Amino acid sequence: MKKFSSALWLIVRWIVLIIVLIAVYLPLIMIIAYSFSTARDVGGEFGTPTFALYAQLFNNEKLLSATYNTLIIGLVSAFLATVLGTTASVGIHYMRQKVKPIVEASSQITVVNAEIVTAMGFFLLMLIIREVVTIPEGFSLIWLIIAHTVITMPYVMLTVSPRLKQLNPNLLEASMDLGAGPMRSLFTVMLPQLFGAMISGFALAFTLSLDDFVITKINAGSEIETISTYVYSGIRHTLKEDIRALSTIIFVLVLAILIVTNVIKNKKEKQR
Amino acid sequence: MKNKAKVFRPTAFAFPYLAVTIVFVVVPLLLILVYALRGADGSFTIDNFIKVFTDPDIVRQMGQTIGIAALSTAICLLIAYPVAYILASSPFNKMAILSLLFIIPMWINFMLRIFALHSVLSTLGMQKGLAEAVIGLVYDFFPYMLLPIYTVLVNMDKSYVEASRDLGANPATTFFKVTLPLSLPGVVSGVSMMFMPVFSSYSVTMMMGDMNSNVIGAKIAKLFEQGNYGYGSALSFVLLVLVIGVMLLGNLISGTSDKAPKGAKK
């Protein structure tokens, strides 16, 4: 009897997981499937499978430039956020106990704050700057990179700081005792140990930047289009079928990257 | 010996970060307050704040926003908790790829995911509306709700559960008296990870819902688009205070539940 009920319990648990997995993946799979069909809507008559949408995608200047902007903003801001976030974590790590909590709390402002309020703050700051100096054309991209750096920087700190606390302080001291200067010790002893956390921080900052809609829309909505603003403004009427091709490329890329990183991680763990 | 006497404090490394934070985080927040307290002629006034609290439109939208955020967060929690519980239980906790499958969507651009969901829902014949907006939010935030709860459950010390069972409690009692209280910090962080962004964001609600499910974030964006900076800033500032309040409340709840297992260990 007991064996029967535990087998039943196992089946029930599998069913719950499978139902939720289907709910999560059905939309993504439908988009991937229909990226090979020229039907106007997902769920329409499929017709013969074709790569037409992919060809269309590479002729859609607007969507390509949105993708380009998204990638440039994401990569540059994630890089800057990683540099600023890591140096900040190291600096804060060595601060006196009285100042430390205040500075640490300051890093949480943008994490906690509503995105729309942060976006408005940037908007007002730009308004003031515009009154003082004339802003050259094309500055929007730089402004967005700054904004994305500022909002993703705390997340880099959240990944780097815990790692910093785990480090063995004796290693750094040993390096300095052996005659290496503080700077050299930091770069040759501490930095290599933080590298893994910095990569995770970079990846997190990059994804957050790709996902951002509100900050981008409010601060450069009329001048610079990213994938997010492109989809948002087009979902009601003007969204073309080729967005399915772009979605598919992104889904497959994300999946591939995640699987590769996980395989590498598992191999490393097994080697230990 | 000399090196040890001179304590190594490279605090200067934090200075670039501090400069950036002051210029781009603190100053903008102050600007919001300044604009909120400035009348059309540039004089000091609290009219904007009075307007926020007396405008029936704002009160209605605030209520609607809280309603949508609370409803979608509750539904998401009700789905994510069982899934997290199952994933953390044996034999599923040994299948790393399975939990990864649930988390993967987190890395896909949320706008594209919403577009995908939107396509499927319209295939099923659903129109834009409140229900669709809630479905969109639940779908969007599911991995963010799942991950913290799963992390807490999978790292939980299983001996508490075994002790409870050994002492004669049935599975239901064990769950409600041991597992659930111990997983509360994960629930709190999942809920705050979802409730706050949903409360203030408007993209999903606008894309999936109709014009009637107008939320407070959209209202603020509209005010700024119209150049009504004073009123928009006052509303933003109220939102800021609200968010900080909810945050402190969340810390209080997870703070008290953090203490429980520590006491139990003694």
Side-chain angles (χ1 to χ4, degrees):
Chain A
M1 190 60 203
K2 195 154 191 206
K3 221 174 190 179
F4 173 73
S5 77
S6 74
L8 191 70
W9 176 225
L10 186 68
I11 292 168
V12 169
R13 286 183 294 169
W14 265 117
I15 291 173
V16 171
L17 289 186
I18 288 167
I19 289 175
V20 177
L21 265 186
I22 290 174
V24 169
Y25 281 95
L26 185 70
L28 306 183
I29 290 167
M30 289 286 272
I31 291 292
I32 293 175
Y34 272 85
S35 75
F36 299 104
S37 155
T38 47
R40 175 70 191 94
D41 293 304
V42 171
E45 201 181 321
F46 197 90
T48 41
T50 154
F51 281 97
L53 289 186
Y54 291 87
Q56 198 181 321
L57 168 68
F58 288 102
N59 288 318
N60 187 342
E61 297 263 332
K62 236 182 136 186
L63 186 49
L64 285 183
S65 87
T67 312
Y68 173 78
N69 287 336
T70 310
L71 287 177
I72 286 292
I73 295 170
L75 288 173
V76 177
S77 70
F79 174 75
L80 292 175
T82 310
V83 172
L84 283 169
T86 309
T87 49
S89 300
V90 173
I92 291 171
H93 186 68
Y94 286 102
M95 274 181 185
R96 280 166 221 287
Q97 281 307 320
K98 273 187 187 167
V99 210
K100 208 171 170 179
I102 302 170
V103 182
E104 271 178 341
S106 79
S107 72
Q108 292 306 303
I109 297 175
T110 44
V111 177
V112 175
N113 199 0
E115 240 188 334
I116 181 92
V117 179
T118 309
M120 289 315 165
F122 276 119
F123 182 85
L124 291 179
L125 185 63
M126 195 63 219
L127 216 63
I128 298 287
I129 294 175
R130 264 183 212 282
E131 269 176 31
V132 184
V133 284
T134 45
I135 298 296
E137 230 174 279
F139 184 72
S140 295
L141 190 70
I142 297 173
W143 185 242
L144 277 185
I145 289 173
I146 296 175
H148 282 219
T149 305
V150 173
I151 53 166
T152 55
M153 193 170 58
Y155 294 92
V156 176
M157 294 167 72
L158 282 177
T159 36
V160 173
S161 305
R163 180 82 188 103
L164 205 54
K165 282 178 191 139
Q166 290 171 353
L167 294 189
N168 184 349
N170 295 332
L171 286 177
L172 202 65
E173 269 180 34
S175 158
M176 284 192 278
D177 280 349
L178 291 171
M183 273 301 177
R184 196 168 161 207
S185 303
L186 273 182
F187 277 97
T188 55
V189 178
M190 188 185 262
L191 203 64
Q193 297 183 75
L194 290 179
F195 205 62
M198 284 167 71
I199 298 282
S200 317
F202 179 88
L204 187 59
F206 183 63
T207 355
L208 285 169
S209 165
L210 295 193
D211 256 11
D212 176 76
F213 164 74
V214 175
I215 308 262
T216 309
K217 176 82 181 161
I218 302 247
N219 282 285
S222 51
E223 284 165 57
I224 288 190
E225 199 108 72
T226 61
I227 294 177
S228 293
T229 58
Y230 180 87
V231 175
Y232 178 81
S233 54
I235 201 161
R236 279 172 200 279
H237 318 287
T238 55
L239 211 55
K240 292 272 168 43
E241 294 86 340
D242 50 7
I243 192 75
R244 299 202 293 259
L246 181 69
S247 301
T248 303
I249 294 174
I250 293 177
F251 295 163
V252 172
L253 268 181
V254 168
L255 207 65
I257 292 171
L258 284 173
I259 288 173
V260 167
T261 50
N262 266 279
V263 167
I264 292 173
K265 218 169 101 188
N266 284 347
K267 261 193 183 166
K268 267 189 184 168
E269 272 166 17
K270 269 181 193 162
Q271 274 170 3
R272 278 179 199 166
Chain B
M1 279 312 274
K2 250 186 188 172
N3 275 332
K4 275 194 180 166
K6 196 178 77 192
V7 182
F8 177 57
R9 284 192 186 280
T11 42
F13 273 96
F15 292 169
Y17 155 80
L18 281 175
V20 169
T21 303
I22 288 168
V23 175
F24 294 105
V25 178
V26 180
V27 169
L29 290 183
L30 291 177
L31 278 178
I32 287 178
L33 189 58
V34 168
Y35 269 90
L37 292 172
R38 218 172 70 149
D41 54 346
S43 60
F44 175 83
T45 169
I46 56 163
D47 282 359
N48 288 321
F49 282 104
I50 294 173
K51 222 166 129 193
V52 168
F53 289 109
T54 50
D55 188 343
D57 229 31
I58 294 288
V59 176
R60 189 180 55 81
Q61 273 174 355
M62 205 63 126
Q64 202 163 27
T65 312
I66 294 175
I68 291 175
L71 182 67
S72 51
T73 308
I75 293 174
C76 199
L77 177 64
L78 283 179
I79 302 171
Y81 197 98
V83 172
Y85 182 81
I86 293 171
L87 285 174
S89 69
S90 113
F92 300 98
N93 55 359
K94 290 177 190 74
M95 306 176 201
I97 200 81
L98 199 61
S99 48
L100 184 69
L101 270 180
F102 282 90
I103 307 294
I104 283 175
M106 207 164 160
W107 282 284
I108 297 170
N109 184 301
F110 91 97
M111 208 54 96
L112 291 179
R113 275 189 289 139
I114 288 301
F115 160 68
L117 181 71
H118 179 259
S119 311
V120 170
L121 287 186
S122 40
T123 311
L124 297 174
M126 290 181 92
Q127 304 289 314
K128 285 173 187 293
L130 195 65
E132 286 70 21
V134 171
I135 293 175
L137 290 167
V138 171
Y139 185 73
D140 195 20
F141 282 91
F142 180 71
Y144 294 90
M145 180 68 90
L146 181 72
L147 189 58
I149 301 176
Y150 170 72
T151 311
V152 169
L153 283 173
V154 86
N155 291 322
M156 202 174 78
D157 193 342
K158 297 285 184 300
S159 53
Y160 289 121
V161 175
E162 282 162 21
S164 160
R165 298 298 303 274
D166 284 349
L167 292 169
N170 63 19
T173 318
T174 305
F175 176 75
F176 285 109
K177 295 259 166 156
V178 180
T179 312
L180 190 62
L182 282 176
S183 63
L184 216 55
V187 173
V188 169
S189 86
V191 166
S192 56
M193 248 166 146
M194 175 167 180
F195 185 80
M196 312 288 229
V198 171
F199 182 70
S200 63
S201 78
Y202 60 93
S203 38
V204 178
T205 335
M206 292 296 270
M207 283 161 76
M208 301 291 296
D210 53 15
M211 282 309 162
N212 290 325
S213 48
N214 213 338
V215 287
I216 210 76
K219 174 82 182 174
I220 296 179
K222 207 172 161 193
L223 283 173
F224 274 83
E225 260 166 38
Q226 293 165 345
N228 200 345
Y229 302 139
Y231 192 23
S233 296
L235 197 53
S236 297
F237 195 75
V238 172
L239 202 63
L240 177 66
V241 173
L242 266 175
V243 163
I244 292 174
V246 174
M247 199 65 204
L248 290 177
L249 200 73
N251 280 347
L252 212 68
I253 295 171
S254 63
T256 46
S257 64
D258 270 353
K259 275 171 198 151
K262 268 181 204 159
K265 262 181 193 167
K266 280 174 195 168

